[in-house]
Amino acid sequence: MQYNPGWNGSSVNLLHVRAAGPRDSLHYVWSSIGAPAVLLVATQSPSSALRVNWTQLLSPSPAGAIWIDPPDSVVYSTAVVFTKLFEFSETKPLGELFYPTYDLSKFSWDSLNHTLNHTALTAELSGAPATDPSGGFANGSLAFRVTAYEAGGRAERLPSLLHTADSSQLEFVLAGVAPRGNGSHFVLEVATVEEAGAVRRLRSERSIDDEYTPTIFEVLSLIAESQNGSSTLGFLQWKATAYGSRSPRREDGIRCRAQGLQVANWTLPVSSIVQAYFGESLGSTCTISALNVSFGGEEGQVYQEKRYLSWSLLLGFGQPPRDPFSALVISITAVALGTPLAMLLLGSCLVLLARRRRYSEYEPIN
């Protein structure tokens, strides 16, 4: 993990996470320059390196300021940008009432270097609006917590996402922000950037197994695939829940919904690492898709009471991890299906035995 590689200042945030394998390497570049974003690059060289031209990156025209050396080692690259936070309340009879949008590209961000933990491979990017007329962020903040992994495993805190060494976890946290209405709902806008030859698809999977995330039976994945569908290139994955507590429990769950993936007809915020890496292709050959993730049920009271919301997602390369069926679910299923089958077989045997026995009203003659 490197903070602002090649730059001595801390007025901007750029975190480079590199995972090296025997024949390839993976790069995650997190930054709050412009809107908060992460650049993901997979290479076929174990020694590939990130290069940054800081003068150009911090200029009004950052195209070409970030690249991977050697350039021909790159086999796949994508980006995820967190652009806006919406807030609305459901009022009767008017319906949904939207408040002024929080543009994350206009936030003021704390130095990420103060939270960087090289042992735990974690960091936190925290910020608030540069101007806040409503005062909603007077005692609150919005944060993105990053966790990198050296091996496969499962997160200890709910929703206990299963991860691999090729993935990283991001936790979106809204803490202490005052709602501007009764029963406010929050919506996070997430944009993805794909180069020509790759497309994004939203996939929902349901399961009867909820051992690690009680009462949550749905997993959503935003998959990047080749256009012919022959291979999966990358993913975002999350459980259909958020939590309203710093130490989440099942009863702290907040409903989480994905409101459809659409091709974006707008441009991304300027002066970001996305423009710096993709350059001119961002407006021509690249595809920008957007997804809204909403938090809150019909009542919207969980955040109103606790003023805390956390949503975790996993992002990485290749196929997203899939939870195997737990031994408990397998045992319950075996008992539930095996008992009727055993009774059916036993009943059939008794019927056959009864048919073979012959009864008579006469006593046998000696």
Side-chain angles (χ1 to χ4, degrees):
M1 301 180 76
Q2 295 175 295
Y3 175 69
N4 288 352
W7 178 261
N8 294 326
S10 59
S11 58
V12 295
N13 291 308
L14 190 146
L15 176 66
H16 176 220
V17 182
R18 179 175 176 270
R23 294 179 300 276
D24 54 12
S25 57
L26 308 176
H27 299 266
Y28 294 84
V29 185
W30 305 85
S31 178
S32 62
I33 301 174
V38 55
L39 175 68
L40 297 88
V41 183
T43 73
Q44 57 185 1
S45 169
S47 58
S48 61
L50 175 73
R51 306 299 183 193
V52 182
N53 183 330
W54 282 97
T55 303
Q56 187 175 354
L57 177 61
L58 300 178
S59 71
S61 302
I66 294 178
W67 70 97
I68 297 295
D69 191 23
D72 58 359
S73 67
V74 176
V75 293
Y76 173 64
S77 56
T78 184
V80 181
V81 188
F82 302 92
T83 52
K84 296 176 182 178
L85 180 68
F86 302 100
E87 181 184 353
F88 70 94
S89 61
E90 294 182 344
T91 60
K92 297 180 180 179
L94 299 177
E96 296 179 349
L97 173 63
F98 278 84
Y99 299 96
T101 302
Y102 292 115
D103 188 344
L104 301 189
S105 66
K106 298 179 180 179
F107 270 44
S108 176
W109 301 95
D110 298 335
S111 175
L112 185 147
N113 194 36
H114 299 316
T115 63
L116 188 58
N117 188 324
H118 289 274
T119 303
L121 300 179
T122 59
E124 179 174 326
L125 184 65
S126 179
T131 58
D132 185 19
S134 65
F137 279 80
N139 298 310
S141 64
L142 182 152
F144 295 94
R145 295 174 180 167
V146 178
T147 304
Y149 298 109
E150 293 181 313
R154 186 179 299 277
E156 295 180 359
R157 287 160 42 93
L158 288 176
S160 305
L161 294 175
L162 182 67
H163 61 260
T164 66
D166 296 340
S167 60
S168 295
Q169 180 171 293
L170 180 68
E171 184 180 3
F172 166 72
V173 178
L174 203 62
V177 178
R180 290 174 285 184
N182 294 326
S184 283
H185 296 216
F186 290 96
V187 180
L188 180 64
E189 184 180 71
V190 183
T192 62
V193 179
E194 293 295 334
E195 291 184 307
V199 293
R200 286 276 179 178
R201 292 186 176 90
L202 182 62
R203 186 171 70 191
S204 173
E205 294 184 355
R206 295 183 179 273
S207 172
I208 62 172
D209 192 350
D210 68 340
E211 178 185 8
Y212 299 103
T213 314
T215 73
I216 306 301
F217 300 94
E218 184 180 12
V219 179
L220 294 106
S221 302
L222 190 56
I223 305 294
E225 297 178 326
S226 56
Q227 285 189 335
N228 58 12
S230 60
S231 61
T232 300
L233 305 173
F235 66 88
L236 275 72
Q237 184 185 64
W238 65 94
K239 296 287 184 74
T241 185
Y243 292 95
S245 173
R246 297 180 187 274
S247 301
R249 299 169 297 173
R250 180 179 60 84
E251 53 268 29
D252 299 320
I254 298 175
R255 183 178 301 175
C256 171
R257 290 179 174 175
Q259 301 176 351
L261 179 67
Q262 297 180 351
V263 175
N265 56 2
W266 39 262
T267 57
L268 293 173
V270 297
S271 302
S272 72
I273 60 170
V274 179
Q275 276 86 4
Y277 180 81
F278 290 100
E280 299 300 328
S281 65
L282 192 60
S284 55
T285 59
C286 289
T287 301
I288 303 175
S289 302
L291 174 77
N292 285 343
V293 181
S294 64
F295 310 100
E298 288 78 1
E299 304 85 2
Q301 297 299 318
V302 176
Y303 183 82
Q304 193 85 18
E305 296 172 0
K306 300 187 177 182
R307 300 285 178 93
Y308 190 87
L309 184 151
S310 68
W311 174 58
S312 299
L313 69 153
L314 197 73
L315 63 166
F317 300 89
Q319 288 280 359
R322 300 189 67 175
D323 273 314
F325 278 101
S326 64
L328 177 62
V329 170
I330 294 175
S331 301
I332 293 174
T333 305
V335 172
L337 297 178
T339 301
L341 182 60
M343 293 179 66
L344 180 62
L345 291 175
L346 180 60
S348 300
C349 292
L350 292 175
V351 170
L352 292 175
L353 289 174
R355 287 183 176 180
R356 293 185 61 182
R357 294 181 63 182
R358 299 296 183 181
Y359 295 93
S360 175
E361 297 178 355
Y362 298 99
E363 293 292 335
I365 301 174
N366 189 358

